[in-house]
Structures are given as C-alpha cells and as structure tokens.
Amino acid sequence: EANTITENSVVRHETVNRPELYFRILPLELDEIEYNDDWKAKEALGRAKKEALANDLRRLPREIAALQQQAHIDREVVIPDYTEGKFTAEDCLMAGIVFCPHRSWEFGVTDRYKSDASRKGILDFLQSQHSPALKLGWFMGSAGDGEAISRAVQQDSLNNQDRFLHDDFHLMVATKAFGMGIDKPNIRYTYHINYPQSLESFVQEAGRAGRDRKFSVCTILHNDQEFRLRNTTSKLCIDRDILTYFHSN
C-alpha cells in the first residue's frame, strides 16, 4: 500500500548523524501544465531539470562558501582554505555525482550510445553547458543493449569510474548504483534528478559525499505538479511516475 511504513521508510539516527552533510530540496515548477501526451510533459520537465541543474552547478561554488559559514554548521566540518576557484581547479579535488533514474533520454545519463543523433541525456546537456570548466565522466549499466554496445558501455563506465577515483573528473553523471563500495574522500556534492524510493536510500546515496567529514551539499531536484493530458481526463505526476516505474520493474 502507498502509505504503508516499511523498513525502508525508517531513517535511523546513526544513518543520518553526518553533520558534514547539508541536505536541500530544489523545487521546480513549470508554467505550462497541459500537454498533448505524457512524452511531451516528460520532455518539458526533463529540460527544466537539466537547466536547473546546470544553473545550480554555476551557483554552487559561491553557495558552499556561504552555507558552511552559517552559525549552526559545526566548525569541525568547514572546508579549510576554501575558495570558489577550487570547484573547477585542474586537480579535480572537489568532486560531485549526479544520480539519474534512467540510463538515457531526458532523465537519463547519456544518449551517446544511441544510433540516432539525438542527445538528450543529462551528461549530454551538461557537456554543452559547462565544457571545459567541469571535467565530466559517466557511469551506467548496459542492460538491454546489443553485445557490442553493452561491451562499450561497460568498458567506458569502468574506465570512467577509475578515472574519477584518481581525480581526473570533477563530476560523474551516473545511475544510482554508482559509488557503492567506493570510498572517495573528496566528493563535495551530490544531486538526485528524481527523489529516491525512500529517505534511507537517499541518505545512503547522498552519503557518498563528505567521506572526509568535511562540508558537502546533497540536493534533490523535485517537482510535485500534476500535468494534464489534452483530450483525456488523465493527470500525470512525473516524479511519482518515475519512482513507480522502479517499483514495478
């Protein structure tokens, strides 16, 4: 049942006792809420989330400087000698992860492995917006692809993971499996394109930041609008629809 409290619904004190992590929700609202079909609605929200992500990444270096100086922030977690320039410095010592609910298309990692010319993935969008300021890598699984593409996806993903661990990238765009079992101390920020299946899942995934016990920002991009589909009585909450997809597959 939708409102049943399960084991995954419980966030335990020891799980969230991470004073170095600063959690925030970035709300998004679209002006247009009526579309011809659900694909058009998802395209519109997908574009809006990508634009919001890109804009927030531009603001984040300044935001970190301001946020970690707030009175309630434990002085022990403040990043020493922090400057905004370190965010995009060549040494990539301030790293981040964007967690995506899909492998491709508007809410996915990248379309680079598709045979057509469409490039609507989040990595694809960020590369067009941030290159060369942020060095970007990607990681995702290869389920459902042909043998050659599956092999390329796996090889590229593992290579990118290794490069990320060795500070060759500022930012990894990845599916949620990325980072499990990886202890990279200098991940300073995470983004979730869609809210995870439970608070516990969010804390676990976002908790890949701040492993050095220094200030880190963990953000969810959230939309709770109901979109109307023309010529039908149907309504669509896309964030909830994405989450439901994972529960049913």
Side-chain angles (χ1 to χ4, degrees):
E1 300 235 342
N3 295 322
T4 300
I5 295 177
T6 67
E7 182 72 9
N8 282 337
S9 305
V10 179
V11 179
R12 300 171 182 81
H13 177 266
E14 63 269 20
T15 306
V16 295
N17 189 21
R18 299 278 306 275
E20 69 276 11
L21 298 184
Y22 184 93
F23 298 106
R24 60 181 187 158
I25 295 176
L26 193 63
L28 289 91
E29 283 202 1
L30 273 61
D31 294 333
E32 176 65 48
I33 61 169
E34 187 171 281
Y35 294 89
N36 288 334
D37 55 51
D38 58 343
W39 290 103
K40 293 296 183 184
K42 290 176 180 178
E43 280 184 332
L45 182 58
R47 284 194 301 270
K49 287 201 173 190
K50 287 182 290 191
E51 289 168 359
L53 171 63
N55 289 334
D56 202 66
L57 279 167
R58 295 187 188 99
R59 291 191 296 265
L60 191 57
R62 184 172 63 253
E63 291 260 332
I64 289 175
L67 288 172
Q68 71 169 355
Q69 295 304 323
Q70 293 182 102
H72 68 277
I73 299 297
D74 188 334
R75 295 299 93 190
E76 291 295 319
V77 308
V78 171
I79 305 166
D81 303 318
Y82 173 77
T83 62
E84 294 178 27
K86 290 185 177 182
F87 198 82
T88 53
E90 282 293 316
D91 57 18
C92 299
L93 292 180
M94 290 197 63
I97 305 173
V98 177
F99 290 106
C100 307
H102 297 312
R103 296 169 60 250
S104 60
W105 203 53
E106 297 285 356
F107 298 91
V109 176
T110 179
D111 289 338
R112 65 188 300 118
Y113 298 99
K114 288 187 174 182
S115 57
D116 59 40
S118 66
R119 294 293 180 268
K120 296 183 178 182
I122 291 159
L123 172 76
D124 311 320
F125 184 82
L126 291 179
Q127 285 179 326
S128 71
Q129 296 287 310
H130 283 270
S131 184
L134 287 177
K135 299 176 185 177
L136 305 173
W138 67 94
F139 182 99
M140 62 186 191
S142 56
D145 297 315
E147 183 178 347
I149 294 177
S150 293
R151 187 164 53 248
V153 170
Q154 185 177 28
Q155 289 175 346
D156 290 346
S157 292
L158 291 176
N159 180 55
N160 287 336
Q161 175 177 275
D162 187 65
R163 292 184 63 188
F164 184 66
L165 288 173
H166 288 86
D167 301 323
D168 286 342
F169 294 127
H170 294 105
L171 180 63
M172 285 291 281
V173 182
T175 50
K176 65 180 181 178
F178 177 73
M180 293 181 68
I182 291 175
D183 189 12
K184 180 175 167 64
N186 58 350
I187 297 175
R188 292 271 74 86
Y189 56 98
T190 64
Y191 286 91
H192 279 75
I193 297 300
N194 198 71
Y195 58 84
Q197 62 182 352
S198 69
L199 288 174
E200 184 118 301
S201 295
F202 172 59
V203 171
Q204 182 184 56
E205 292 159 17
R208 288 161 195 162
R211 294 289 178 87
D212 59 356
R213 303 301 182 188
K214 295 302 178 185
F215 189 79
S216 304
V217 178
C218 307
T219 306
I220 297 175
L221 279 66
H222 179 58
N223 173 272
D224 63 357
Q225 289 175 292
E226 285 194 334
F227 297 95
R228 295 192 298 270
L229 305 181
R230 294 190 180 100
N231 302 319
T232 75
T233 58
S234 299
K235 292 184 179 181
L236 176 68
C237 178
I238 296 172
D239 274 23
R240 187 170 61 240
D241 187 63
I242 291 173
L243 186 63
T244 303
Y245 172 85
F246 284 103
H247 280 297
S248 60
N249 286 274

